[in-house]
Amino acid sequence: MIAEQERDDVSIMADKVTDQAAQEGQIARYQLIGNTEGYFPSDLARIKMPFQWEDSRILYGLQMIDMALFMCGRASGIDSAKKLNDGDKAVLKIVDVIRPAIMPQSAVWYPLEKRTDYGFITELS
């Protein structure tokens, strides 16, 4: 991911869940074996432990960024060459509002793309 390319450590802030130890444990396991499993393995060595667990009912920004990244990811899968349904039109309209508020170096990672393609937000248009 971006941290691998930039050789920069990453802190994770995540919504509180009932299985926090399991979530951290999975990342720690991948760090121990050297990479994630699957077709496009990823090195998670740059993720600092432990995660910072916050309650999204109190920290509204956490829910907002989660939704913003979800919408950007959804928009990247829309084929604008085809006739758009109302849902796709709504998603693209929302992403047009979100995009200017996201820092230019921000990115959304799409695991099904080539390992060198990170789906940069600025390329969603």
Side-chain angles (χ1 to χ4, degrees):
M1 291 186 356
I2 302 300
E4 292 173 39
Q5 286 183 340
E6 300 297 322
R7 302 185 196 286
D8 205 3
D9 289 341
V10 174
S11 296
I12 302 291
M13 179 185 292
D15 200 357
K16 284 187 176 179
V17 293
T18 57
D19 62 344
Q20 293 175 7
Q23 299 296 321
E24 288 181 359
Q26 184 154 7
I27 299 299
R29 178 179 163 269
Y30 288 140
Q31 289 176 329
L32 184 65
I33 62 174
N35 59 282
T36 60
E37 301 161 346
Y39 190 66
F40 296 111
S42 182
D43 175 12
L44 304 180
R46 300 308 234 166
I47 296 177
K48 295 193 308 188
M49 300 298 260
F51 292 1
Q52 181 179 342
W53 298 99
E54 299 293 343
D55 188 342
S56 63
R57 293 173 294 179
I58 297 167
L59 190 65
Y60 299 120
L62 190 55
Q63 280 294 339
M64 291 171 62
I65 193 63
D66 185 45
M67 180 57 72
L69 293 175
F70 171 80
M71 295 301 287
C72 289
R74 170 93 162 63
S76 72
I78 296 172
D79 184 357
S80 57
K82 295 182 179 177
K83 185 175 187 317
L84 300 177
N85 62 40
D86 289 343
D88 289 344
K89 289 177 188 174
V91 166
L92 293 174
K93 189 173 183 178
I94 291 168
V95 169
D96 283 343
V97 172
I98 294 169
R99 190 181 309 119
I102 297 176
M103 295 175 59
Q105 68 270 23
S106 296
V108 180
W109 177 60
Y110 304 104
L112 298 179
E113 292 187 8
K114 289 185 212 170
R115 197 60 195 95
T116 56
D117 294 341
Y118 290 97
F120 285 96
I121 300 298
T122 54
E123 295 177 3
L124 287 176
S125 52

